[in-house]
Amino acid sequence: MTIEYRQAALEDAEALVNIYNASFYEDYLRYGSCPGYGNTKEMMEESIIRYPKHIILCDHEPVGCISYTKLGRGVYEVACLCVVPEFQGKGIGTQAIRFLKTLLEDWEKLTLVTPLDKKQNVKFYTEKCGFHIESTERDGNVELVRFAAER
């Protein structure tokens, strides 16, 4: 299994909509809404412009995406990390976080947010990726956990 990353371009918008929809469908069903699910091609194009995205390729097949935004000097937010369900649990997400840490040479702190009740995400980010829980917050009816990793 070969994992590679390619910077997303505007022409990748439809493929990314499909990746996000497959990755976040369960969240959409669970919470009734999900910011990563149901975006239009135009919304994804805007997102590609605002949040640098890298498509995750497994044996040359697009299977996920990692994106980020710069919050300040050396501080970045992981805006999205998603892997389509049939490729989850294979270490692809862990490798994507490592890739991001290499890509962002000046990073001092990485943050990200995920639903608190998604125990597999909490375990993944704390045990596999070296994040710790910094705080909790709410978005509508969903309690979120904010993770941080420092260099």
Side-chain angles (χ1 to χ4, degrees), residues 5-147:
Y5 306 89
R6 176 176 62 76
Q7 177 126 22
L10 290 176
E11 51 270 9
D12 295 313
E14 281 189 51
L16 284 169
V17 166
N18 293 334
I19 288 169
Y20 277 51
N21 283 347
S23 301
F24 294 115
Y25 180 66
E26 290 296 322
D27 287 352
Y28 170 74
L29 293 177
R30 183 179 200 163
Y31 303 112
S33 69
C34 176
Y37 181 81
N39 291 309
T40 64
K41 177 184 173 201
E42 293 75 23
M43 291 165 71
M44 186 59 73
E45 288 171 345
E46 177 69 24
S47 184
I48 290 168
I49 293 166
R50 291 183 60 215
Y51 303 102
K53 297 182 187 309
H54 284 78
I55 297 172
I56 303 168
L57 304 160
C58 180
D59 297 329
H60 309 290
E61 178 183 345
V63 299
C65 179
I66 189 163
S67 67
Y68 65 91
T69 187
K70 188 170 187 166
L71 299 178
R73 186 174 171 179
V75 181
Y76 296 87
E77 173 104 348
V78 179
C80 181
L81 170 57
C82 63
V83 176
V84 296
E86 56 269 26
F87 285 86
Q88 292 175 5
K90 299 177 186 287
I92 294 170
T94 306
Q95 288 182 42
I97 292 292
R98 280 193 218 120
F99 164 77
L100 191 63
K101 288 177 177 178
T102 302
L103 178 71
L104 305 173
E105 295 175 0
D106 70 331
W107 81 274
E108 295 173 18
K109 182 177 184 179
L110 291 178
T111 65
L112 64 92
V113 175
T114 194
L116 180 60
D117 68 343
K118 291 195 72 175
K119 301 298 182 204
Q120 75 274 22
N121 284 8
V122 173
K123 183 176 181 178
F124 168 73
Y125 287 115
T126 57
E127 294 181 13
K128 303 276 186 186
C129 300
F131 285 81
H132 63 272
I133 295 174
E134 191 169 73
S135 63
T136 59
E137 52 198 72
R138 284 195 86 66
D139 183 7
N141 65 338
V142 181
E143 189 166 6
L144 303 171
V145 61
R146 178 167 296 279
F147 291 98

